[in-house]
Amino acid sequence: ERGTQFRQVCNVCKYQKPAVDVKFSPRHLGLKLATGWQDGVVRIYEAMDVMNLSQWSLMEEFDVGSKSKDESGCHISWNPSSFDPPSLVVGNYEGAIKIFQFNDNTRKWSSVDLCSPENEKHSDAIHD
């Protein structure tokens, strides 16, 4: 409908550094939100009750930043496949690309593949 106004229902993240990327998960993973932060941290939130979007829980937090911690930021993209375990690809401004996957046994996200070794960094912009 024309003229419909959006309204804020929740302020999920309150941190000192700004978020540089925000993505909803694919539908088959439930209502999750991955955020990439300027300080190189990825945080994953989940709405436990889809009827109450004012309540989001921080489910996981992992650092993908640079060794120098010069606020390089990170960008994220979910793997849309329902056949694979939940996974994210994360790229930072230093050119590193990492794949993180959720492990059901440990209930944690961990790096499963490093696509850019230290001597082969990606130099162009990463778009999803």
Side-chain angles (χ1 to χ4, degrees), residues 107-128:
R107 310 292 299 157
K108 296 279 183 192
W109 288 82
S110 59
S111 179
V112 294
D113 188 23
L114 185 60
C115 299
S116 297
E118 284 299 312
N119 57 353
E120 292 183 26
K121 292 192 175 188
H122 182 79
S123 61
D124 293 329
I126 298 172
H127 303 282
D128 60 353

Side-chain angles (χ1 to χ4, degrees), residues 94-111:
E94 293 184 331
I97 300 170
K98 296 180 181 179
I99 297 172
F100 287 84
Q101 195 170 67
F102 185 76
N103 183 318
D104 273 331
N105 295 330
T106 63
R107 310 292 299 157
K108 296 279 183 192
W109 288 82
S110 59
S111 179

Side-chain angles (χ1 to χ4, degrees), residues 54-95:
S54 66
Q55 300 293 316
W56 290 77
S57 299
L58 177 62
M59 304 305 291
E60 187 75 39
E61 174 178 276
F62 46 91
D63 192 340
V64 297
S66 67
K67 293 177 187 137
S68 64
K69 296 302 277 176
D70 63 351
E71 299 183 5
S72 62
C74 57
H75 291 271
I76 50 182
S77 185
W78 288 92
N79 175 358
S81 174
S82 60
F83 300 105
D84 296 326
S87 53
L88 290 166
V89 63
V90 181
N92 68 21
Y93 289 112
E94 293 184 331

Side-chain angles (χ1 to χ4, degrees), residues 17-29:
K17 302 293 181 187
V20 294
D21 202 3
V22 178
K23 298 280 187 336
F24 280 104
S25 67
R27 173 177 267 168
H28 67 274
L29 296 177

